[in-house]
Amino acid sequence: MKRYPLLKMSFTLSLVLIIGLCFIFTSSAFAAPKEVKVGLIYPVSGPLASVGKRCVNGHEYAVKLINEQGGIKSMGGAKIKLIVADSEGKPEIGMSETEKLITRENVAVVMGAWQSAVTFPTTQVAEKYKTPYIVPLAVADAITERGFKYTFRTGMTATINANLAFDIIKWLGEKTGKKAKTVAILNEDSLWGDSTAKTWEKNAGNYGLKVVGKFMYNKAATDLSPTITKMKSLKPDIVLQCAYTTDAILITKQMHEMDFNCMARIPSGGGYADPKFVKAAGKLGENLIVNMIFHPSAKGPGTKVQDTNADYQKSYEGEMDEYVTTAFDATWVLKDALERAASADRKKLRDAISKTNINTNNSPVLEAYDFKFNEKGQVPNPTGVAAQIQNGKMLAIHPDNVAVTKPVYPVPTWKDRGLR
Amino acid sequence: MLQEAVKRHLIWIAIFLILLILPFFIGTYLQHIMIFIFFYAYLSQCWNILSGYTGQFSLGNAAFFGLGAYTSSVLFYYFNLSPWIGMFIGAFVALAIGLFIGYVSFHFGLKEAFFALATLAFAEILRIMFLNMPVMGGAQGILIPLKGDAPLLFQFDGKIPFYYISFIMMVSSTIIVYIIERSKIGYYFKAIHQNEESAEALGVNARKYKIYATGISAFLTAFGGTFYAQYFMYIDPNLTFGPSVSFDIMLRSIIGGVGTLAGPIIGSFILTPLGEITREIFGATSGIHMMAYGAILILVCLFMPRGVYPWFRQRFSKSS
Amino acid sequence: MNWEIFFQALTSGILTGGLFALVAVGLTMILGVLKIINFAHGEFLMLGMYMTYWLCTLFNMDPYLTLIITIPAFFFFGVIIQRWLINPILDAPMEIQILLTLGLFIFLANLAQLLFGPHVRSIETAYTFKILTIGSVNFASTRLIMFIFAIIFTTALYIFLKKTDLGKAIRACSEESYGAMLVGINVKRVYMIAFGIGTACAAAAGSLAMPIYYVNPHIGATFVMTAFVVVVLGGMGNFMGALVGGFIIGLAESFGAVILSASLKQLVTFTIFVLILLLRPTGLFGTKRS
């Protein structure tokens, strides 16, 4: 009999924990009438929290506007209610949180998850439950290549985004008559950087550009000066980059340190699109051209973008960068679909989303392209914005319909700027 | 005596039966949680063989986990080989690497913290290598092709099959450890743990058995890797070889009680729900739930420095 | 590889090695004296960086001047951590010690995130734009300053350990704590001081790195693995070893980035690490094994 109670005890302990769980899950609040529950899944804690938070802000802000303007009119003014779940950046937690959102919170639709590694399994969960899943931003091409019926992506794929960089180079050459011939690629070694760099490497020839070097690094690197020196010896005209905020700051500082000059560095969004980067880089960031998904300086029809951005900054820190905006726009796509479906029924909602046809000019969405989905659930031709830091401010320069200023190109050397 | 044995068995049978029918009474969210409890209990039990019983503290079981995940996934991706077969090949790959790591480490007499850091380094080396191998998908990882409900390809419609697979994995690993514990090799393991010099003096070839322990641990851990790959259908080097995998594996045993049969299972039954509960209570806003999680780990160290299971055992032997 | 790249890689490697050494000096103290694998060491560095950041931003202090505040502050912080958290588990099995420092790591990183937000922060000072050029070799003045401090700190600690009574007591505890107790050394006090010094070193490294790098709540993990490598390379508890080990790893990563690629440079580091562990587990300069 001696060991009997201790086994019981230890088992009881774990049982209590599990029963505790069950209780928490069954006692969730009853849904108030006239409410559409929307689940968000983002990394709001852990190393990626900075981005996760901004995505959530974008959704929250859009929902605030929608609810203030009377909610979903076709549903008797139903309000949208966001339920934020934390993926901690881990697929298994993303998956369990998505399960919870769908089965327990009974959300009509899920949005997320920015990281491709979390988006893959979570969209699978949503597909299984026939719950629409809108991906504002997660770049792996394969997300919309799996034949899923309930997954929709309102934003870029890595391939589309990578090719836009070449459009910018071509446009800069035509505009100023100074054509770039060689490119070097400098990318961080996660899925985004790796797949973007491979697309660049593959397609550069189509644009008459020669890749003279490809450099991959880990974003936790503490010193990149040897790599930059090596790149300097190859004398590329253009450096194409993928970086997160921390390595973007490091590289910018060290390019200055190593006196690395080229016609232009054209990084793809990410860290360079982070308003914190512009602040942290200070003078060193001047004249940098960034290939972005979106920038709030971009001219919209009328002053829509500027007004929204100004209003946003009343309640949130920082401007509407690409993370905030893609989340914001995806929420309006959802709102539009809810109006047409006039129901929070998942199947009806899915059909409504698939028939989305939003003209950017007469809708609150900020990105300058029309939202409609192809049979894969992907917006076929999302466009981006190229912006340049001029006098400490990020300003849109390309494409012409959103540009607010002319490009400074080629970018003056560190010496010409008096920084050396 | 007999009655006691029956009663002891009764409670195990009761638990076993409850867990056996449980998936039909709970939703998929709780099924997922249970799968992860079993999954980590399994991995932690594998870790326990090497680090708990034999006392060779590994911080790098992610190496074996990742090899299992990658081998079966790559074979499935390129050659359409069923992961059911791939997982055995993966286990043998991990076994080979495990024996290699064990041989190299123990041949040169690595011990304690040195061995722990070496295993961590081996896992990191593999992670960086896979990250830079385009054939293995590089940083883009491997997205396992979806085949729908294909049990022969380790793909299922619902979670219930995964529930039973993970449950069987946990139970069988525990049975394996139980058998090892009571066999000659198990006595050698424990002798090495307690005092390597005296074990050698008694004629135990400590180096050989430590290598065996590494091999067994590696072999079994690899199955967990395949399970992970088939459950999530996507793997990349950071998810499978990253240090956090090793930490997640060993935390279960440490919390439950290192070197005990029930430790990894109890640890897993505590830690996985704990993560869920802290997230539930503190919400997904600022990372307070992670702080609470860290604080609880610290408190366990301070107040139950041998793990939860031994702590209870101590309490009860005192009171009864 | 031409000479220009060679000399640049050499210079960058040595300068970065200075930072690695600085982080490792604190860790080698803790690992050498208390025999604790401290995964939370990087978090002390991160908190040191935040302290410097706030002092610079709020009070307009010079980042190097903040050392006067960060070093004593984190010395006491370390003493408190040792007294209340580390001391109770000194005799516990290794896994409990690792669990505790991992718990502390998770706790501190998320505490910082709660207090300071998840964003990246960096400071701009008068030194930021001062670049020194020798021939074709470039380096920021802030790197040189950090490097000089690294040498000063290490040498000072080395002399402290060799010449002072307290230093000798620390060394005695590091080699044979039971014997040290028998000859009348207050081992508990020595442990607290050693942990305090280790923590202060990490924080000082943070202060010195702030003008070059950036801080976010999760930067600690970036440094801690490399620091372990350096510590083992130099021999646990060996300060001069940590300094030389820092240079070796700095150079290995620097040339690894040039010859292989920046993504593979850590492969070089870990390979050296494993080889050292296997062939010379007492470190390059170690004499005997504890």
Side-chain angles (χ1 to χ4, degrees):
Chain A
M1 288 299 284
K2 226 176 176 181
R3 292 180 63 188
Y4 178 75
L6 94 90
L7 278 169
K8 210 168 100 184
M9 192 66 193
S10 45
F11 179 67
T12 321
L13 181 77
S14 22
L15 211 62
V16 165
L17 283 171
I18 294 175
I19 291 170
L21 266 180
C22 296
F23 258 102
I24 292 172
F25 300 136
T26 44
S27 65
S28 65
F30 288 98
K34 287 188 181 179
E35 196 177 68
V36 182
K37 283 184 171 183
V38 174
L40 299 183
I41 180 92
Y42 283 105
V44 288
S45 72
L48 303 166
S50 173
V51 173
K53 280 237 163 103
R54 280 183 275 157
C55 296
V56 172
N57 287 351
H59 289 296
E60 269 178 9
Y61 176 58
V63 166
K64 192 183 128 216
L65 294 184
I66 292 167
N67 287 346
E68 275 172 9
Q69 292 166 13
I72 311 298
K73 287 170 192 100
S74 70
M75 291 171 69
K79 300 267 189 284
I80 295 181
K81 186 176 175 230
L82 288 179
I83 297 157
V84 185
D86 182 9
S87 71
E88 291 178 23
K90 293 180 180 168
E92 70 253 35
I93 293 172
M95 202 168 176
S96 66
E97 290 294 306
T98 311
E99 290 270 0
K100 217 157 74 177
L101 287 173
I102 294 174
T103 59
R104 191 183 106 205
E105 300 288 355
N106 211 8
V107 297
V109 57
V110 179
M111 296 196 272
W114 179 56
Q115 291 163 281
S116 298
V118 177
T119 311
F120 284 131
T122 49
T123 46
Q124 264 177 52
V125 173
E127 185 74 12
K128 201 179 71 202
Y129 288 106
K130 302 199 179 337
T131 305
Y133 192 126
I134 301 177
V135 184
L137 185 61
V139 291
D141 290 28
I143 288 170
T144 43
E145 304 280 327
R146 293 172 298 169
F148 282 9
K149 291 266 174 304
Y150 284 81
T151 303
F152 299 91
R153 174 160 48 193
T154 52
M156 292 275 177
T157 67
T159 309
I160 297 173
N161 186 240
N163 287 332
L164 285 176
F166 292 126
D167 291 339
I168 296 169
I169 298 172
K170 196 171 146 217
W171 172 81
L172 282 170
E174 282 163 4
K175 186 115 181 159
T176 59
K178 290 177 182 116
K179 282 214 166 87
K181 292 185 187 67
T182 56
V183 292
I185 299 166
L186 179 63
N187 65 289
E188 55 82 40
D189 63 1
S190 80
L191 182 142
W192 169 57
D194 192 37
S195 52
T196 306
K198 281 183 180 141
T199 311
W200 280 333
E201 210 177 4
K202 202 173 74 194
N203 294 349
N206 304 343
Y207 292 82
L209 292 162
K210 189 169 164 259
V211 178
V212 291
K214 180 170 172 289
F215 304 91
M216 189 157 96
Y217 63 88
N218 187 278
K219 73 166 185 285
T222 45
D223 179 28
L224 287 166
S225 53
T227 307
I228 293 169
T229 315
K230 202 170 154 188
M231 203 160 73
K232 191 176 162 185
S233 71
L234 300 170
K235 298 193 173 57
D237 293 334
I238 302 281
V239 178
L240 292 172
Q241 267 184 268
C242 280
Y244 289 103
T245 310
T246 51
D247 39 329
I249 296 171
L250 182 70
I251 288 171
T252 305
K253 283 187 175 179
Q254 294 206 313
M255 288 216 162
H256 168 240
E257 193 179 333
M258 296 299 118
D259 199 15
F260 177 91
N261 293 297
C262 58
M263 286 167 82
R265 282 203 284 147
I266 307 182
S268 271
Y272 286 97
D274 185 348
K276 298 273 171 192
F277 165 79
V278 182
K279 201 163 158 254
K283 276 188 256 175
L284 298 179
E286 189 65 19
N287 288 352
L288 185 77
I289 299 171
V290 186
N291 167 23
M292 289 201 253
I293 292 167
F294 176 79
H295 192 267
S297 67
K299 216 165 34 180
T303 54
K304 177 176 76 176
V305 176
Q306 282 69 30
D307 293 347
T308 315
N309 185 34
D311 187 54
Y312 172 80
Q313 288 179 50
K314 281 181 200 153
S315 342
Y316 297 93
E317 194 194 345
E319 56 184 7
M320 292 192 78
D321 58 33
E322 53 184 36
Y323 299 118
V324 179
T325 310
T326 47
F328 179 84
D329 285 358
T331 317
W332 282 103
V333 169
L334 171 68
K335 194 249 176 192
D336 171 78
L338 280 168
E339 290 286 8
R340 283 181 289 110
S343 155
D345 178 74
R346 289 166 178 171
K347 176 79 176 55
K348 283 182 191 153
L349 190 55
R350 186 240 155 238
D351 293 340
I353 295 172
S354 72
K355 293 194 188 82
T356 296
N357 191 355
I358 296 177
N359 184 321
T360 180
N361 291 325
N362 43 37
S363 137
V365 296
L366 299 182
E367 287 169 286
Y369 56 87
D370 295 344
F371 286 85
K372 52 180 122 179
F373 297 102
N374 63 17
E375 70 288 351
K376 290 174 180 168
Q378 171 68 42
V379 169
N381 293 311
T383 57
V385 173
Q388 186 170 37
I389 303 178
Q390 295 184 359
N391 298 319
K393 276 208 180 107
M394 198 66 106
L395 295 170
I397 54 168
H398 172 80
D400 289 324
N401 61 333
V402 300
V404 289
T405 183
K406 285 194 175 61
V408 176
Y409 179 84
V411 172
T413 63
W414 299 112
K415 209 170 178 181
D416 291 348
R417 277 191 260 161
L419 290 169
R420 294 279 306 192
Chain B
M1 275 305 282
L2 189 72
Q3 254 184 333
E4 188 197 328
V6 169
K7 269 193 175 157
R8 263 177 67 191
H9 279 123
L10 264 180
I11 192 139
W12 282 117
I13 291 165
I15 296 169
F16 187 84
L17 286 178
I18 290 171
L19 291 178
L20 214 55
I21 52 166
L22 189 66
F24 297 103
F25 300 97
I26 55 178
T28 48
Y29 165 66
L30 281 179
Q31 283 173 7
H32 176 85
I33 299 297
M34 291 307 290
I35 290 169
F36 262 75
I37 291 173
F38 298 154
F39 171 75
Y40 275 120
Y42 169 79
L43 290 171
S44 207
Q45 195 68 273
C46 303
W47 178 88
N48 201 18
I49 297 170
L50 173 61
S51 305
Y53 285 98
T54 323
Q56 307 305 308
F57 201 88
S58 162
L59 281 174
N61 264 32
F64 315 130
F65 179 82
L67 285 170
Y70 263 92
T71 311
S72 65
S73 304
V74 164
L75 289 173
F76 182 52
Y77 187 83
Y78 286 113
F79 307 108
N80 226 351
L81 183 76
S82 166
W84 288 115
I85 305 167
M87 71 195 248
F88 282 93
I89 302 174
F92 281 104
V93 171
L95 175 69
I97 299 289
L99 289 177
F100 170 76
I101 292 176
Y103 177 78
V104 176
S105 305
F106 299 125
H107 178 78
F108 290 98
L110 282 188
K111 275 180 195 167
E112 297 162 6
F114 291 97
F115 178 73
L117 291 171
T119 49
L120 185 54
F122 276 119
E124 281 291 278
I125 287 173
L126 283 169
R127 182 181 68 82
I128 298 166
M129 278 169 61
F130 274 79
L131 203 53
N132 286 279
M133 274 198 281
V135 193
M136 298 291 181
Q140 298 177 50
I142 296 176
L143 190 64
I144 292 155
L146 283 172
K147 302 280 180 186
D149 190 17
L152 287 177
L153 297 173
F154 210 138
Q155 293 190 15
F156 307 98
D157 208 16
K159 286 192 191 301
I160 292 179
F162 285 110
Y163 179 95
Y164 285 113
I165 294 166
S166 59
F167 183 59
I168 291 167
M169 282 164 76
M170 177 182 80
V171 171
S172 51
S173 70
T174 309
I175 293 171
I176 291 170
V177 173
Y178 181 84
I179 293 169
I180 291 177
E181 207 181 5
R182 271 150 190 79
S183 69
K184 206 167 65 180
I185 190 170
Y187 285 116
Y188 292 161
F189 286 172
K190 278 186 272 185
I192 291 166
H193 186 184
Q194 268 153 18
N195 191 331
E196 202 173 321
E197 281 79 22
S198 45
E200 292 228 301
L202 291 171
V204 179
N205 184 344
R207 198 214 298 172
K208 187 170 103 185
Y209 285 102
K210 285 197 285 187
I211 296 171
Y212 283 177
T214 320
I216 297 170
S217 188
F219 184 81
L220 294 174
T221 304
F223 288 104
T226 302
F227 180 86
Y228 180 94
Q230 294 306 120
Y231 188 68
F232 286 108
M233 310 301 281
Y234 174 73
I235 51 170
D236 75 23
N238 294 324
L239 294 175
T240 51
F241 287 105
S244 64
V245 179
S246 299
F247 292 155
D248 276 343
I249 291 173
M250 67 173 197
L251 280 182
R252 267 76 191 171
S253 277
I254 299 175
I255 289 283
V258 167
T260 58
L261 189 64
I265 298 173
I266 291 173
S268 196
F269 267 91
I270 293 171
L271 264 194
T272 309
L274 183 70
E276 295 295 321
I277 288 175
T278 52
R279 200 162 38 246
E280 194 63 41
I281 294 171
F282 297 107
T285 43
S286 48
I288 301 181
H289 61 284
M290 291 294 287
M291 273 172 68
Y293 186 80
I296 289 169
L297 295 188
I298 296 174
L299 291 177
V300 168
C301 293
L302 294 179
F303 297 106
M304 302 176 179
R306 304 211 170 267
V308 173
Y309 179 60
W311 186 79
F312 273 110
R313 195 153 57 186
Q314 213 177 10
R315 281 289 149 111
F316 277 91
S317 57
K318 258 182 208 163
S319 59
S320 61
Chain C
M1 191 180 2
N2 61 31
W3 287 112
E4 188 184 335
I5 298 176
F6 175 82
F7 283 116
Q8 185 64 55
L10 190 72
T11 318
S12 299
I14 290 176
L15 291 177
T16 311
L19 175 66
F20 291 162
L22 208 52
V23 185
V25 161
L27 195 62
T28 206
M29 183 76 141
I30 293 169
L31 204 55
V33 178
L34 289 95
K35 312 280 184 294
I36 297 254
I37 300 185
N38 182 15
F39 280 108
H41 195 69
E43 305 320 294
F44 300 147
L45 174 122
M46 176 269 295
L47 291 174
M49 289 176 106
Y50 269 113
M51 189 163 214
T52 301
Y53 173 83
W54 287 115
L55 288 172
C56 290
T57 317
L58 298 178
F59 304 106
N60 244 333
M61 270 177 91
D62 185 284
Y64 300 109
L65 202 64
T66 63
L67 282 173
I68 328 172
I69 299 172
T70 46
I71 291 178
F74 278 87
F75 177 80
F76 285 113
F77 182 62
V79 168
I80 290 166
I81 296 267
Q82 150 68 16
R83 173 70 186 81
W84 297 105
L85 297 181
I86 308 288
N87 207 39
I89 50 110
L90 269 181
D91 297 323
M94 186 170 75
E95 63 268 12
I96 293 296
Q97 301 173 343
I98 289 182
L99 179 65
L100 186 122
T101 60
L102 274 179
L104 195 58
F105 161 80
I106 297 171
F107 182 81
L108 290 177
N110 288 286
L111 178 71
Q113 180 162 329
L114 184 71
L115 294 177
F116 312 125
H119 311 295
V120 179
R121 297 168 188 274
S122 74
I123 52 170
E124 198 173 287
T125 63
Y127 318 104
T128 311
F129 301 111
K130 290 237 162 56
I131 307 293
L132 305 171
T133 307
I134 302 169
S136 64
V137 176
N138 297 294
F139 52 91
S141 56
T142 44
R143 275 178 194 276
L144 186 68
I145 297 172
M146 183 179 72
F147 175 78
I148 293 167
F149 267 108
I151 291 183
I152 293 172
F153 274 147
T154 323
T155 319
L157 276 172
Y158 182 75
I159 294 168
F160 164 74
L161 281 187
K162 282 271 173 204
K163 302 287 175 201
T164 64
D165 285 346
L166 185 58
K168 282 174 188 162
I170 291 177
R171 270 167 54 218
C173 290
S174 148
E175 270 155 31
E176 182 53 75
S177 60
Y178 187 65
M181 204 175 72
L182 287 182
V183 299
I185 294 171
N186 184 344
V187 176
K188 272 197 173 169
R189 186 167 149 263
V190 166
Y191 280 171
M192 282 202 279
I193 291 169
F195 201 88
I197 293 176
T199 311
C201 284
S207 296
L208 290 168
M210 199 55 217
I212 306 166
Y213 295 106
Y214 45 78
V215 59
N216 67 16
H218 299 276
I219 195 167
T222 313
F223 289 96
V224 78
M225 265 316 288
T226 318
F228 274 119
V229 178
V230 172
V231 166
V232 171
L233 194 61
M236 293 189 189
N238 187 333
F239 291 103
M240 284 301 152
L243 190 62
V244 179
F247 295 151
I248 293 176
I249 294 302
L251 286 171
E253 292 210 344
S254 189
F255 282 99
V258 172
I259 296 164
L260 294 167
S261 88
S263 179
L264 281 168
K265 69 180 182 185
Q266 280 210 303
L267 198 63
V268 182
T269 313
F270 286 117
T271 311
I272 294 176
F273 183 52
V274 168
L275 289 177
I276 289 287
L277 275 173
L278 296 178
L279 303 174
R280 278 200 71 101
T282 52
L284 288 176
F285 314 98
T287 44
K288 77 170 184 51
R289 240 176 120 165
S290 57

